[in-house]
Each structure stands twice: as C-alpha cells, then as structure tokens.
Amino acid sequence: MITSPSSLRRSERSRRAILEAALELCTEKGYGRVTVEAIAARAGVSKKTIYRWWPSKSAVILEAFTDALVGTTPFVDTGDIAADLRANVMGAVKLLSTPPYGPAYAGILSEVHHDDALAETVRTKLIDPRFEEAVDRLRRAQEQGQIPPDADLPLAVEMLYGPVYYRHVLRKPVQDEETIAALVAHVLRALGAPPEP
Amino acid sequence: MITSPSSLRRSERSRRAILEAALELCTEKGYGRVTVEAIAARAGVSKKTIYRWWPSKSAVILEAFTDALVGTTPFVDTGDIAADLRANVMGAVKLLSTPPYGPAYAGILSEVHHDDALAETVRTKLIDPRFEEAVDRLRRAQEQGQIPPDADLPLAVEMLYGPVYYRHVLRKPVQDEETIAALVAHVLRALGAPPEP
C-alpha cells in the first residue's frame, strides 16, 4: 500500500489526539473508568479508528505512558555514569508521582496479571527496549573504565528499577533525590565501581 | 467478653477452613472469579462469618498468602547472613512461582492501586512487619561484624526485594538460585560487607 505524506501526517495527528484524550480521561475519571468509546469521542475519531491501531484502552494508555517515559527519561551519556543514572531513575520516579501517569501505569500493571496479550505488549514495547537502553548505557560506562569489565549489568538494572516498582505497586511514598542518589551509589559499589570523587 | 477455650478453637478451625477454601478457589477459578459467597460455601460457614472477620475476599486471600509467606520464609539466623538472605529471598520467589500463591498475590496487588483500604492492609499486615524482620536480620549481622555499622539497611531490603516484585508484576521469568545468589552477593557488597570466604 502506498501512503501519501498527507495521510501519514493525518495519522500521526490522530494518534496524538487519541493518546492525549486517553490521558485526559485518566486524570478526570481514573484509569478504571476510561473506555475506548470516551477516548474516541474526546479525540474526535471513531471507535473503529482506535481499534484499527490498538486492541484495547489499556494498549492506548500504555502507548501514552511509554511516549511520556521515553520523552522524559532519555539515557544520556554525559560521561558521568552516576549522574546519568540518578537523572534517569529520578525522571522515572517523578513521572510515576505525576498524575495521571503513575495511577495510569498502576492500572496497566493491574491488568497485566490476567491479560496475557497486554503483558506481552508491556514487555515488548516498554520494558525490554528500556532495559536494553539501560544496559547499553552501563556498557558505555564499562568501556570508559567506570565499571569493571566483568560486572553483571542486567542485574544492576533490576537493582536500580526494582525498588521503584516495589514502592509504586505497594503505593509507598516515592523515593526522593537523596534516596535515589544512595541507591545509584550502592548499585555502582555493588558492581565494583570506584567511589565517586 | 469471656471466650471459652472451645469457642476459640472453633474460631481458629473456621479461620483455617476459610483460608484454605479461598486458596482452593484461587487455584480452580483464578483470583478474579473468587467470591466471598463461594468461599463461605466451600468452607461450610455463612457469608456473615466471613464478613465479621474480613472486609472483602481480597482481605481473606491476603491473609492466606501472608500465612504461607511467613510460614515458608522465616528470617532465621544461622550466623551466615549471605546464606540466610539467599534462603529467605529464594523462599519468597518459590512461593510466588507456586500456584495459587503467585497469581493470588498478583491479584491482590492489582486491587491495591484502586482500593485504599486494601493498600493499607497490605502494608500494615504484610509489608511493614516483613520489612522490619528483614532489617532486624541485617542488624544482627551488623552486630556480628558481617556488615559495616553505617550500612543503609532499609535500602538493602528494597534492593533485595525490589527485583522480586519487578519480575512478579511484569510476569517475567522468576529468578533462579544462581541469580538470587548473585543478587544477595551484590547487595552485601553494596553495603560494604567483606566478600564471602
């Protein structure tokens, strides 16, 4: 199929309108009460348009959350692995403590346990790519001699992000900057990295 | 109120019958389809009896899960903090990978995000006491000189259990013995503990 530039532009505009409508409705009604029908009405598209691109409202909200997460927590390389990890994890914590993102992601996770297709989408669209990016950032630090060559990088990523999930799903108070700094310092020490100057 | 020994015994017998019925129904129907009515019928008690002790089916299942977790993962002190942490975390991972416990706990967590009372019960009945026990075990290791006196013990508990929650809620494959051993070794190194002999 040949798609003209103008129809591609229109699709991206619709996509953005749909994701924005989904987030607005999460804020107004809470994740549980959002429906594909309401998203369609708010975005000014048909339900059919939404179902052409997404299998469920959860998939729409997952894409909106993923866009926000990727946008606010890039894996930058300033040459300082500790500072870059602090910025990255703190960015994720801040997003999770900002409505509607935190409650929306909690809503998605609450469906993961009984929705196999959604669980697969969460892993392939959100978790796996982010996990790989985090490992890549650690690998660059390894290449720069900031982390020993034999360090277990995937384990480090779980030690960094595990506590964020722990507090999020249990609805404990989120980490502050100081706690994130301590967490990052502990993970780097666990990997055998020399202490920060 | 004075309660006779026999009525106390009967209550404990009913409690156990109710918890067992709840777990059986989780296995047979899945967490989402369990009802207080079905638990009552299976346990041979009235719905009123259940509602006298628990506010919801989630609270019943939470108590059954907590009993199982406490029973299978005691915080023992053999004098070897690394071995004791490995046994403790591995016990929790094994319980979570055993139906109906893992799916049941996932079901409970899925309601935590929108049920404030359940969230509070999970924290006060399950999470906070277990967290304190873990910190206490680390503190005894500290007193025995296995962990430096200035170590951040609560952070260590989150680094140990965070990755377990991370995999559980995302339905990733659970950790094996080797991964748990690596995790424990990393957390102890992060605290500045000397390497195992």
Side-chain angles (χ1 to χ4, degrees), chain B residues 10-76:
Chain B
R10 205 161 42 239
S11 290
E12 178 57 17
R13 202 161 51 227
S14 295
R15 192 186 80 94
R16 287 184 181 280
I18 291 164
L19 298 186
E20 207 167 294
L23 289 174
E24 281 174 17
L25 289 164
C26 279
T27 303
E28 291 166 23
K29 296 173 184 293
Y31 176 90
R33 289 199 187 81
V34 178
T35 60
V36 168
E37 195 146 26
I39 297 172
R42 177 72 59 102
V45 302
S46 68
K47 278 172 69 175
K48 208 177 136 202
T49 298
I50 294 182
Y51 281 122
R52 197 186 309 143
W53 295 342
W54 295 278
S56 63
K57 77 151 194 203
S58 312
V60 178
I61 297 171
L62 173 64
E63 188 163 324
F65 178 78
T66 303
D67 272 14
L69 188 70
V70 169
T72 55
T73 62
F75 282 92
V76 295

Side-chain angles (χ1 to χ4, degrees), chain B:
Chain B
M1 192 181 88
I2 295 166
T3 314
S4 73
S6 77
S7 83
L8 270 176
R9 268 203 305 278
R10 205 161 42 239
S11 290
E12 178 57 17
R13 202 161 51 227
S14 295
R15 192 186 80 94
R16 287 184 181 280
I18 291 164
L19 298 186
E20 207 167 294
L23 289 174
E24 281 174 17
L25 289 164
C26 279
T27 303
E28 291 166 23
K29 296 173 184 293
Y31 176 90
R33 289 199 187 81
V34 178
T35 60
V36 168
E37 195 146 26
I39 297 172
R42 177 72 59 102
V45 302
S46 68
K47 278 172 69 175
K48 208 177 136 202
T49 298
I50 294 182
Y51 281 122
R52 197 186 309 143
W53 295 342
W54 295 278
S56 63
K57 77 151 194 203
S58 312
V60 178
I61 297 171
L62 173 64
E63 188 163 324
F65 178 78
T66 303
D67 272 14
L69 188 70
V70 169
T72 55
T73 62
F75 282 92
V76 295
D77 184 356
T78 67
D80 179 343
I81 184 64
D84 290 353
L85 291 179
R86 284 194 297 267
N88 182 270
V89 179
M90 199 65 220
V93 167
K94 276 188 184 153
L95 189 72
L96 287 175
S97 51
T98 307
Y101 298 102
Y105 192 49
I108 290 164
L109 290 177
S110 77
E111 298 199 25
V112 158
H113 94 101
H114 63 77
D115 183 335
D116 295 347
L118 181 66
E120 182 64 17
T121 307
V122 168
R123 284 194 299 263
T124 56
K125 299 280 183 187
L126 173 59
I127 302 303
D128 293 351
R130 296 286 294 174
F131 200 96
E132 277 314 304
E133 278 189 88
V135 168
D136 283 350
R137 178 65 192 88
L138 288 166
R139 195 171 292 123
R140 287 199 300 279
Q142 224 173 15
E143 289 158 7
Q144 292 160 21
Q146 295 171 2
I147 293 174
D150 62 345
D152 188 337
L153 306 184
L155 181 61
V157 177
E158 292 196 38
M159 290 169 79
L160 281 171
Y161 271 90
V164 176
Y165 274 79
Y166 176 79
R167 293 203 186 189
H168 185 59
V169 299
L170 293 171
R171 295 174 58 188
K172 291 186 139 197
V174 300
Q175 284 95 345
D176 57 16
E177 304 255 1
E178 199 183 341
T179 308
I180 294 298
L183 174 63
V184 167
H186 276 71
V187 170
L188 289 174
R189 174 144 81 157
L191 296 179
E196 277 194 275

Side-chain angles (χ1 to χ4, degrees), chain A residues 12-139:
Chain A
E12 177 58 16
R13 201 160 53 226
S14 295
R15 191 185 80 93
R16 288 185 179 278
I18 290 164
L19 299 186
E20 207 166 294
L23 289 175
E24 281 174 16
L25 289 164
C26 280
T27 303
E28 292 167 21
K29 295 173 184 294
Y31 176 89
R33 290 199 187 81
V34 177
T35 61
V36 167
E37 194 146 27
I39 298 172
R42 178 72 59 103
V45 302
S46 69
K47 277 172 70 174
K48 208 177 137 200
T49 298
I50 293 182
Y51 281 122
R52 197 186 311 142
W53 294 342
W54 295 276
S56 63
K57 76 152 194 201
S58 312
V60 177
I61 297 172
L62 174 65
E63 188 162 325
F65 177 79
T66 302
D67 272 15
L69 188 70
V70 168
T72 56
T73 62
F75 282 92
V76 294
D77 184 355
T78 67
D80 179 343
I81 183 63
D84 290 354
L85 291 179
R86 284 195 296 268
N88 182 270
V89 179
M90 199 65 219
V93 167
K94 276 187 183 154
L95 190 72
L96 287 176
S97 50
T98 307
Y101 298 102
Y105 191 49
I108 290 163
L109 290 177
S110 78
E111 299 199 27
V112 158
H113 94 101
H114 62 78
D115 183 335
D116 295 348
L118 181 66
E120 182 64 16
T121 307
V122 167
R123 285 193 299 263
T124 55
K125 298 282 183 185
L126 173 59
I127 303 302
D128 293 351
R130 296 287 294 175
F131 201 96
E132 276 314 302
E133 279 189 88
V135 168
D136 284 349
R137 177 64 192 87
L138 288 165
R139 195 173 291 123

